[in-house]
Amino acid sequence: MSDLKSFASDNNSGAHPAIMEAVLRCNEGHLKSYGDDEISIRTDEVFKEFFGSQARIHYVTTGTAANVLGLRAVTHTYNSVICAEQAHINNDECGAPEAFGGIKLVPVPSKDGKLTPGAIAPYLGHVGFVHASQPRVISITQPTEVGKLYTLKEIEDIVEFAHDRDLLVHMDGARIANACAALGCSFFDMTTALDIDLLSFGGTKNGCLMGEAVVFLNPDIGEGFPYLRKQAMQLVSKMRFVSAQLERYLADDLWLENARHANAMARRLADKAGAVDGVEIKGSVDCNALFAHIPPEATEILLEKYYFYVWDEHDNTVRWMTSWATTEAMVDEFVDDLKKAVEAVR
Amino acid sequence: MSDLKSFASDNNSGAHPAIMEAVLRCNEGHLKSYGDDEISIRTDEVFKEFFGSQARIHYVTTGTAANVLGLRAVTHTYNSVICAEQAHINNDECGAPEAFGGIKLVPVPSKDGKLTPGAIAPYLGHVGFVHASQPRVISITQPTEVGKLYTLKEIEDIVEFAHDRDLLVHMDGARIANACAALGCSFFDMTTALDIDLLSFGGTKNGCLMGEAVVFLNPDIGEGFPYLRKQAMQLVSKMRFVSAQLERYLADDLWLENARHANAMARRLADKAGAVDGVEIKGSVDCNALFAHIPPEATEILLEKYYFYVWDEHDNTVRWMTSWATTEAMVDEFVDDLKKAVEAVR
Amino acid sequence: MSDLKSFASDNNSGAHPAIMEAVLRCNEGHLKSYGDDEISIRTDEVFKEFFGSQARIHYVTTGTAANVLGLRAVTHTYNSVICAEQAHINNDECGAPEAFGGIKLVPVPSKDGKLTPGAIAPYLGHVGFVHASQPRVISITQPTEVGKLYTLKEIEDIVEFAHDRDLLVHMDGARIANACAALGCSFFDMTTALDIDLLSFGGTKNGCLMGEAVVFLNPDIGEGFPYLRKQAMQLVSKMRFVSAQLERYLADDLWLENARHANAMARRLADKAGAVDGVEIKGSVDCNALFAHIPPEATEILLEKYYFYVWDEHDNTVRWMTSWATTEAMVDEFVDDLKKAVEAVR
Amino acid sequence: MSDLKSFASDNNSGAHPAIMEAVLRCNEGHLKSYGDDEISIRTDEVFKEFFGSQARIHYVTTGTAANVLGLRAVTHTYNSVICAEQAHINNDECGAPEAFGGIKLVPVPSKDGKLTPGAIAPYLGHVGFVHASQPRVISITQPTEVGKLYTLKEIEDIVEFAHDRDLLVHMDGARIANACAALGCSFFDMTTALDIDLLSFGGTKNGCLMGEAVVFLNPDIGEGFPYLRKQAMQLVSKMRFVSAQLERYLADDLWLENARHANAMARRLADKAGAVDGVEIKGSVDCNALFAHIPPEATEILLEKYYFYVWDEHDNTVRWMTSWATTEAMVDEFVDDLKKAVEAVR
């Protein structure tokens, strides 16, 4: 198989060998299906160690499912969900929240995909007015779609703002491990301790095959979710193959090491690429995504060998992502080729 | 891990070692995500060898997803889908066709879950009448939810009946391999050759981890499905892990061997258990499911050691299923215990 | 305008003059819109006099809306609603409960569209089983779609059966006035006194232009309904024009007189037509619908002058309906023509 | 009945006497229901005289229904509809397009609720990208939610931009009569002649009781709409009562006279109120809505006697609307009281 030289997405990497091994191992014998197996039950307990004993955990196979089903479970169709205009739920799920959740999204203009109470306030709409969707959830992404981090204090402020108005806070944590690694905090610090109500927990991008979860942290929400998950076509029959991934992912700090590594590779790439004449790294590099200005002709040369996205054609910005599987050698080779490409087009 | 002694469902078995190996193998390197990888593209071609070059194949992770999304793609919300009252879409998907497809199901009373033109005819409703859902699809399950087979001729008759009335025919083929193995025919014979319009192709129950597909055989239907699959939360990012299963499943007759084995184990169980005094096998054993009358007290004893379903409490019927992973020794041990249990309660 | 000689439906009649007058009268001046006007508020109070002070009343413009929105307000999408297979929600709303409510209907075979606890019991499905829609409501129609009546005791038995199982009871009362007139009971006797949870109250067929209501009798259900009605496109801006109809309809026993008259005309038609040689009235005539066997050739002759439905071509059954606007002269003329037609084809 | 002195909305007025008379007149005799009556059929023909013979017309009872059902009929759930952020479909329908249409709305920032090709272009999203909702319709409101008019040329430019990209154009014409009256053009000039694909035609605000219509002008769209309307709970049984309104509305230039009058009253109000010291009319007064800055204390005094909306508390803006039923005397009395109120709080 021809290997793709990819800095396009952490989705392009495979699964971590330790996780593959766990999947292999869980394959022995007959087990109950649909999550009643002992591995899934055990994995639930592992999650509770991380998120608190009140947490309820439901495995799904895609991040879109985690977002849409979590939000749907806590809303009526006449509710709205407030999110940054850059949010994955707003741009990258092909209208799933609207079509499969009946949810109205209220996109709020923002810098770097980060919401603030001040930015949200004008978008709450007419509370109690029968003609207006009634806000029910504020959804934040950590790290954001453009790789930026909320500080814990910034999240705390949003939660306080939300709870004061009887709104819930949802965190899209497709890359929550990268955020925790970068901020040096635990999953608990990032969510339960801040009174986040529900979380889309992502494992796939950081070393799983396909392993995501809806985690209800607020014990008063999420009733009936097992029926909803089944109905939403997300109740995998041989559930052990999902939960075994996540059990291993959460063991022995694998999630943390993978995330730290991905972040470090982004840092290395930023430092080395940023030192190349004609290349400018845009903004801070908080986790494992970075954005750079490079001459468009150099981009063309690089794309012959590498796979990554042109983020904005108008200002010649490209996005590069690293993952648990990105090596120092890959970064260094890429920077060499970048340097050559930029020089070639001068 | 304590092994479950299960005759409850083919979902209780794990994945076939050859498929696990393929999953392991596909893990090397970076690949494009969301199905643009070379394994998924290659697997599409394999499917076309089986179903004809006009087939379009879309992988999903659950049988419910295959059924609901296939049906949704070919219906307006004012259409209805006619199915046997025993159909999985009617009983075992927690209302997913209605809730996520907006589809009205018209359940038709049937023996053994098998439809016939004569049984369907009175349920077509008022065609062209604005107050009535307009029939659009006849959905059949092969083998049926109670393990019975349509002959090819019976399917042909339904398709002719349907196409004469401008209706499509959907086949829920969650266990299509077992049906082909039992009837000694190919996937092509069972579907494309009979002018079936769309198929839910199942791999999970017959040896995959989680691998199902929506297969459009009629080239005039299914437009826009990629958007629908994404929106329906079923576009797996690391798609190689699904397609690699199915590629291997379809190679070297693995699907056929697994299905033949499961069917043979059911046959063995029927023959041996049927010979036990006090046990009566109900009806024919067409594939890998069988139903038996046994004394309820004997069921209680058996359930202490084994896992299976009481199908009907009123007439003391139990359901036993075998799978690719059921061994002759397991069957024989079970029959021994069955004999003891029945004798104990005499 | 050429008058239609119709025995097809009570929908073919216009509105009662007294109601037209009320509509005219309410047209004076400017009033608040969307139900905040004094007429709507006053009409709410009138309804409470009939149904009890705990009732909450929401006006809509069609019976389909009353049924679908009432049911939707008390169900999750993973719930099911049990109804007779003849129910209007099952046959005559073009799949609206499924498409706009996400509701799974469970049609129960029945005689004359009447449910009984015994008939319902086998259709409750697997309570607590994640793969099965969870029953939440039993919906009955009074009188049924084929004009038959439940006795109060029969309703009471269904309500007791339902409440014992934590199910709600919905009454489709599109023709509730005809039922009350026939049984000699009040709206309260028929609903609140029997612990019916929610009612689709119909006024249109019995003399209104378009005036229906969702009435929640159980104070614990229906929260958020105003938002749902608005979202469901049923919040009429100049609401006075709906509520004024219903205010007048409920005054001075107009509803009762209209219903009594319609029932009496059906009785007259049954008696006179039943006396015609070659005509057989099928079953009892409980309200304002009746069914008759007549020679198909006679039907053809009659349809040249009159408008009514052939109910079942196979056994030559026709349906005749009367309304508040049917006169004795119309009935007598019709019976004369019927007699001639039957004689002509002997 | 106490008359409301309302400048809040044209919804607060009743129906025009001529229309009430038509409703009264249509009440004679029995007619077919559900739109098969001769009045509805005749009214269809009247609409075709205005919009062209290719037009197909479907009556509904609310503007929300016209918008949502028209848009739903021409979209898949994976499509998006682009609209101004001020659009009624975005703000004032309680999430109906999302919940009952499964539609993703893409709100575009705009001045005065008016879109332009340049404003739309950046919001088209990633066409052909499976993760993104695919744009299908541009929806414009004429006049806009803040009472401003597109010129015919501006509409033409949007249509050209749309059709070049295979997008449809929907016009929310809840107040289309006011727009035509102001621009001195016909319905045809405003829609069919400009290649508008579908129209929400409003009659209620300009003199009807409740009479709106979905009008498909493009003959290639809208298939199956009668089923959709029924399913969407909008197929009124005694349809004559809706169509008779619209037939009269369109006869003898009643629609035009009503609209001209409403516009003239707004002009009169603007001129007289604008001359009051301390009152400032904001922007142009294109139709029958106007916005004014007045001292908040004066607003409080006025609200004791009159009914209207404070539009924006932050900059002390109020909205005043006039209707066909607003008289010169009402305007003059209001301006007198306005003058007194403003003087009182100086």
Side-chain angles (χ1 to χ4, degrees), chain B residues 141-145 147-150 172 175-176 178-179 287-288:
Chain B
T141 312
Q142 173 79 324
T144 72
E145 285 70 19
K148 295 301 181 284
L149 285 169
Y150 288 90
D172 180 349
R175 293 184 179 95
I176 189 175
N178 300 86
C287 293
N288 66 324

Side-chain angles (χ1 to χ4, degrees), chain B residues 78, chain D residues 56 58 69-70 73-74 168 198 214 216 218-228:
Chain B
Y78 50 81
Chain D
R56 274 149 310 135
H58 305 277
L69 298 184
V74 301
L168 302 171
L198 71 157
V214 176
F216 292 107
N218 176 336
D220 298 330
I221 60 174
E223 203 198 351
F225 192 83
Y227 297 106
L228 183 58

Side-chain angles (χ1 to χ4, degrees), chain A residues 1 15 27 30-31 100 204 238, chain B residues 3 12 15 27 100 204 238:
Chain A
M1 194 180 321
N27 190 37
H30 289 67
L31 290 183
F100 281 89
T204 309
K238 298 181 177 177
Chain B
D3 191 15
N12 296 156
N27 190 36
F100 281 91
T204 309
K238 297 181 178 177

Side-chain angles (χ1 to χ4, degrees), chain A residues 219-276:
Chain A
D220 298 331
I221 60 174
E223 204 198 351
F225 191 83
Y227 296 106
L228 182 57
R229 179 176 61 172
K230 168 66 193 182
Q231 186 179 68
M233 309 166 278
Q234 283 288 334
L235 183 59
V236 164
S237 58
K238 298 181 177 177
M239 186 66 89
R240 58 169 121 173
F241 291 119
V242 176
S243 49
Q245 297 173 51
L246 290 166
E247 186 186 34
R248 181 61 192 87
Y249 178 66
L250 292 175
D252 299 335
D253 282 349
L254 179 59
W255 66 273
L256 183 57
E257 280 171 27
N258 281 359
R260 276 184 185 152
H261 178 81
N263 292 357
M265 289 304 100
R267 188 69 263 153
R268 182 184 188 94
L269 178 52
D271 290 345
K272 296 208 166 192
V276 173

Side-chain angles (χ1 to χ4, degrees), chain C residues 37-50:
Chain C
D37 64 284
E38 59 205 66
I39 300 173
S40 299
I41 290 163
R42 217 163 59 202
T43 307
D44 273 15
E45 292 308 309
V46 175
F47 266 92
K48 288 182 182 183
E49 284 166 27
F50 279 90

Side-chain angles (χ1 to χ4, degrees), chain C residues 282 291-294 309-313 315-319:
Chain C
K282 289 182 63 174
F291 295 80
H293 286 297
I294 63 172
Y309 290 112
V310 176
W311 194 254
D312 187 337
E313 290 186 355
D315 71 349
N316 304 322
T317 311
V318 297
R319 184 186 80 169

Side-chain angles (χ1 to χ4, degrees), chain A residues 1 3-4 12-15 27 30-31 34 38 62 92 94 96 100 204 208 230-231 233-234 238 240, chain B residues 1 3-4 11-15 27 30-31 38 62 92 94 96 100 204 208 230-231 233-234 238 240:
Chain A
M1 194 180 321
D3 191 15
L4 187 71
N12 295 155
S13 59
N27 190 37
H30 289 67
L31 290 183
Y34 299 113
E38 58 205 66
T62 64
D92 299 293
C94 203
F100 281 89
T204 309
C208 292
K230 168 66 193 182
Q231 186 179 68
M233 309 166 278
Q234 283 288 334
K238 298 181 177 177
R240 58 169 121 173
Chain B
M1 192 180 322
D3 191 15
L4 186 73
N11 274 332
N12 296 156
S13 59
N27 190 36
H30 289 68
L31 290 184
E38 58 205 66
T62 66
D92 299 293
C94 203
F100 281 91
T204 309
C208 292
K230 167 66 192 183
Q231 185 178 68
M233 309 166 277
Q234 283 288 334
K238 297 181 178 177
R240 58 169 123 175

